[in-house]
Every structure is written in C-alpha cells, then in structure tokens.
Amino acid sequence: MQTNILYIGRDPEITIVMNRLLNARPEWKGICVCTDEEAILVFKKEAVDLVLLGNGINQECEQALRSELEAIKPDVKIIQHYGGGSGLLYGEIMLAL
C-alpha cells in the first residue's frame, strides 16, 4: 500500500529535493508544491494521507492551511518538517503514520 504525502514549502530548490526524497521510497508517493493554492487543488484531487509543512510558511499561513485542509478531510495528519536529512524525514513520517 502506498502512502500519499503532500509537501508544501516555499523554497523551490528545497521542494525539488523533497520531491526526490519522498519519491525515492516505493511505499511513498510524494507530491510537492510551493503555493497554498496548488496545495488545496492537489489535496482536493488526490487521496492525501499526510501533509508536510516545510519552512517558509509563516504562522498565519499555517493556521489558514490547516483549517482549510482539515475542513476538506478532518482526519488528515499534518506535521511540520523543517529539514535535517532523509533519516530525520523518514522518522518524522513513520512517527506521524
């Protein structure tokens, strides 16, 4: 079974790296976007199991995103990921799931 993970970040270069890391594991499908609008469109279209919030998202945007995503799918898991390498990323995701 594949876990669909939506990563939302503001830095395009980091978003590219996150896309590579998330899609390197066959059990994960990563979808990585840089804007809230893209995130909402993807979230409505895909069966997302986990949302990762990357750095660059201020508290106001985070709260608005959480509210909108939870209104669409109340039981979605949303966690923050601010970097730290693939080992930390794996641990964060496994803990959230």
Side-chain angles (χ1 to χ4, degrees):
M1 187 168 138
Q2 199 170 47
T3 300
N4 294 325
I5 302 169
L6 173 60
Y7 172 82
I8 308 164
R10 297 296 189 244
D11 185 315
E13 291 178 17
I14 293 174
T15 302
I16 291 168
V17 171
M18 288 299 295
N19 188 58
R20 182 177 44 85
L21 291 173
L22 291 173
N23 288 296
R25 296 184 163 273
E27 68 270 23
W28 296 348
K29 176 184 175 192
I31 305 165
C32 302
V33 299
C34 290
T35 69
D36 297 352
E37 294 78 17
E38 289 175 295
I40 299 302
L41 288 174
V42 167
F43 196 77
K44 288 179 177 178
K45 184 178 167 183
E46 301 286 334
V48 174
D49 302 301
L50 177 65
V51 177
L52 296 178
L53 301 176
N55 63 0
I57 299 175
N58 66 36
Q59 189 173 12
E60 184 179 320
C61 286
E62 179 182 338
Q63 289 176 341
L65 264 173
R66 284 180 181 271
S67 294
E68 192 153 358
L69 296 176
E70 289 170 349
I72 298 166
K73 185 177 178 185
D75 60 337
V76 68
K77 294 180 182 177
I78 303 172
I79 64 171
Q80 295 175 331
H81 174 72
Y82 293 117
S86 59
L88 178 60
L89 175 64
Y90 179 79
E92 289 173 340
I93 290 172
M94 296 312 294
L95 185 63
L97 297 175

